[in-house]
Amino acid sequence: DNLWTVRSDPREPVNTPGGLNAGNAQVAQALRTALASSVLEAQMLGWTGSTVWGQVQGALRGERWIPIHGGSGDLGIYNAIDSIPVGQGVREVLFGTSYIQAVELAKNGPSAKALLSYSQSSNPASPHYADQTERFSRKQWVTLPFNDLQIITDPAFRTTIIAK
């Protein structure tokens, strides 16, 4: 009950609860214990203060290690990516986010961007084996065409007429 300085309010789900109550001795001690435990665990895994998440978590495509952002969906993370330990301090992505799309409903019409995390082919010989996974790793969103002009000016646009 004393963890937050601002208690949970069902009428304010986005803004409450909030503010860790570090002034409370029990909360402060629990925070110190959790932090110390996390530091020890990270050190046991060989992580240092300069270790970045892409060195820890990634997707293996052939011999290529592709750094992957995101964390466990159990933690309430929007970009849920779950991984398993595959070596000392290294985790390989097992499953999680496969497609993300963000749409803005702007005054001049919708604007949409997307990311595909697992690429389109499981064949290592395909040019699409790791291409989208690498884009996902670099957070390189793809702008999706929406209106007629955007669609017909897309370099990949093709018209096929099917007649009886």
Side-chain angles (χ1 to χ4, degrees), residues 2-14:
N2 295 325
L3 183 58
W4 307 105
T5 57
V6 178
R7 290 183 181 262
S8 180
D9 182 347
R11 294 167 297 176
E12 287 286 333
V14 173

Side-chain angles (χ1 to χ4, degrees), residues 5-87:
T5 57
V6 178
R7 290 183 181 262
S8 180
D9 182 347
R11 294 167 297 176
E12 287 286 333
V14 173
N15 300 311
T16 66
L20 280 174
N21 189 6
N24 178 292
Q26 285 181 300
V27 173
Q29 182 56 46
L31 287 170
R32 280 191 293 277
T33 300
L35 181 57
S37 173
S38 295
V39 168
L40 288 174
E41 184 176 350
Q43 288 173 342
M44 287 175 27
L45 291 168
W47 302 345
T48 68
S50 62
T51 302
V52 296
W53 193 239
Q55 294 170 300
V56 172
Q57 178 173 269
L60 194 59
R61 295 292 183 267
E63 298 296 315
R64 287 184 292 181
W65 177 260
I66 303 172
I68 300 293
H69 46 82
S72 173
D74 294 341
L75 300 174
I77 295 172
Y78 174 69
N79 181 17
I81 299 287
D82 279 326
S83 55
I84 58 169
V86 292

Side-chain angles (χ1 to χ4, degrees), residues 66-130:
I66 303 172
I68 300 293
H69 46 82
S72 173
D74 294 341
L75 300 174
I77 295 172
Y78 174 69
N79 181 17
I81 299 287
D82 279 326
S83 55
I84 58 169
V86 292
Q88 179 62 26
V90 178
R91 303 181 63 84
E92 186 172 0
V93 170
L94 198 57
F95 63 89
T97 297
S98 60
Y99 177 79
I100 299 174
Q101 181 173 317
V103 178
E104 176 186 16
L105 301 174
K107 188 165 89 172
N108 296 330
S111 170
K113 295 185 182 233
L115 282 171
L116 178 66
S117 61
Y118 291 107
S119 293
Q120 294 180 348
S121 176
S122 59
N123 178 355
S126 169
H128 303 294
Y129 177 61

